Amino acid sequence: MPGAAGPAPDGLPAAEGAGPACPDGLGELDDLAAVERAAAAVLPRDVWDFVAGGSGQERTLAANRAAFDRLYVTPRVLRDVSACATDTTLLGRPARLPVAVAPVAYQRLLHPHGEVAAARAARAAGVPFTVATLSSVPVEEVTAVGGTVWFQLYWLREPGRSLDLARRAEDAGCAAVVLTVDVPWMGRRARDVRNGFALPAHVDAARLDAGAGSAAHRAPGRGSAVAAHTAGAFSAALTWRRVAELRAATRLPLVLKGVLAPEDAVRAVELGVDAVVVSNHGGRQLDGALPGVEALPAVAEAVRAAGGGCEVLLDGGVRRGVDVLGALALGADGVLVGRPPLWGLAVAGEAGVRHVLDLLTAELRDALGLAGCAGVAAARELRVTRLP
């Protein structure tokens, strides 16, 4: 189904081996596993490894998915689900389903239009799109698409620069700031190290150091150029004091992404954070970290006990509508999905991302109705059992 890259529209250079396939064939990809296989077939091996890989021995990467596979819900019966709906609110704004597109760096590795194409698909699906600090497209071009856009922030070695990025995102029309708190430096990702992964010349971090001369473009031999770049850019001294500074510096809702401990979630509530994302960074940071869905119930209980209306989101391993249902039943207000939209982007650009989100929408509606839930709120009343 996927084909070689053709000429890029709008004068953008095509990513070698990552050209969009004919959207007419998307109907053959009837679940996200099929989209994943199609993406693996079209992408160059080093780019696929950058997207798919985790840190260390990839134990946590595998555990994220395995934890969902152990979840079983107890459906309720004799309830009217004739008008079953997936709509909800996330950070005070309406969303057509309790899903946001997670922040992922350098999306022009996958398609010439990168983050712009993905944001258009998210807007059409009625869900938030999170643009990353390491976006390969300027934030202003992403927010110009419309829809709800969140901005993901890494804390940089120059603290003033981080606050400047947050203000720029606010000025651009972003609806929230999502501070990633689990990356003092990039985890050792063995696939990238083996591949000597470096960015091609036409892809860069548009918000940090535009151009092909950054450390992320210089293959280090046996090592990851992207990891070397972030080691020089990111601060390992991010503390709660910086969170308080950021809270005071922006009027936007503030989200902390990368929380697994209930104690950290309570501290976030005390500082006026609007949401926490229970996350181990998709298995890409500490290998051996607890899967997010296992940490979720305790974090959700602690946040609710602390009061203040802080929302609880989850990411890591979400691949099916029933995964979203399970997360809701365990206390989440919604989930973030990272890799699946990238698969769609690689296969068919904007149409591919929209196909991924349409699949999740259809699967979630099916899961809600079959579980006896007329809407998202009812899913939070379901009982969940973990089986071996």
Side-chain angles (χ1 to χ4, degrees):
M1 158 146 184
D10 299 338
L12 291 173
E16 183 179 354
C22 175
D24 292 343
L26 286 172
E28 301 170 7
L29 306 179
D30 54 5
D31 62 18
L32 294 189
V35 182
E36 180 181 15
R37 290 191 296 270
V42 73
L43 288 173
R45 177 60 182 270
D46 63 338
V47 175
W48 173 251
D49 282 346
F50 176 71
V51 170
S55 62
Q57 300 302 305
E58 300 188 348
R59 293 170 55 221
T60 293
L61 176 66
N64 282 345
R65 184 59 246 160
F68 272 110
D69 288 339
R70 289 193 296 268
L71 295 185
Y72 292 83
V73 301
T74 302
R76 301 300 303 273
V77 297
L78 298 176
R79 294 181 169 189
D80 184 358
V81 293
S82 58
C84 184
T86 63
D87 56 291
T88 188
T89 60
L90 294 173
L91 297 180
R93 293 198 177 196
R96 289 186 202 157
L97 67 161
V99 171
V101 177
V104 181
Y106 305 124
Q107 293 187 29
R108 286 185 60 209
L109 281 168
L110 304 160
H111 186 273
H113 288 164
E115 288 84 357
V116 169
R120 285 176 180 154
R123 178 200 62 193
V127 302
F129 176 81
T130 314
V131 60
T133 293
L134 297 177
S135 170
S136 53
V137 175
V139 65
E140 291 83 2
E141 293 183 24
V142 178
T143 55
V145 164
T148 299
V149 176
W150 299 346
F151 174 67
Q152 177 269 333
L153 177 66
Y154 282 120
W155 200 259
L156 305 177
R157 287 179 179 269
E158 306 170 50
R161 196 175 182 196
S162 300
L163 296 178
D164 287 345
L165 288 177
R167 295 187 187 101
R168 178 177 166 185
E170 187 169 342
D171 290 344
C174 289
V177 173
V178 181
L179 177 65
T180 295
V181 296
D182 59 355
V183 186
W185 53 79
M186 186 179 288
R188 182 174 173 82
R189 300 171 190 173
R191 299 196 207 188
D192 294 346
V193 172
R194 286 194 298 268
N195 292 331
F197 184 71
L199 297 182
H202 72 276
V203 177
D204 57 38
R207 299 181 62 81
L208 293 184
D209 44 11
S214 78
H217 296 87
R218 295 192 289 272
R222 187 169 178 81
S224 166
V226 172
H229 175 246
T230 57
F234 294 178
S235 172
L238 174 61
T239 65
W240 291 106
R241 181 170 67 89
R242 298 302 191 190
V243 174
E245 289 177 8
L246 180 59
R247 173 68 290 173
T250 180
R251 297 168 296 176
L252 296 177
L254 177 60
V255 182
L256 297 193
K257 180 178 181 294
V259 174
L260 290 171
E263 300 86 348
D264 289 337
V266 170
R267 184 72 181 274
V269 173
E270 293 170 349
L271 287 177
V273 167
D274 298 280
V276 295
V277 182
V278 182
S279 170
N280 56 39
H281 213 92
R284 291 162 75 82
Q285 284 301 107
L286 175 64
D287 191 30
L290 187 67
V293 74
E294 295 289 350
L296 174 61
V299 171
E301 181 180 0
V303 166
R304 270 52 191 246
C310 180
E311 295 183 15
V312 178
L313 308 174
L314 171 80
D315 80 1
V318 176
R319 300 292 183 267
R320 302 171 300 186
V322 72
D323 299 337
V324 183
L325 179 74
L328 295 172
L330 290 172
D333 293 290
V335 304
L336 278 66
V337 291
R339 289 180 176 94
L342 296 184
W343 304 336
L345 186 65
V347 171
E350 178 184 343
V353 181
R354 180 62 193 271
H355 182 65
V356 163
L357 296 173
D358 285 347
L359 284 172
L360 278 175
T361 302
E363 290 181 0
L364 177 58
R365 185 181 184 278
D366 187 60
L368 284 168
L370 295 178
C373 301
V376 168
R380 300 189 182 105
E381 302 170 5
L382 295 173
R383 290 195 298 275
V384 178
T385 301
R386 290 178 174 85
L387 297 180

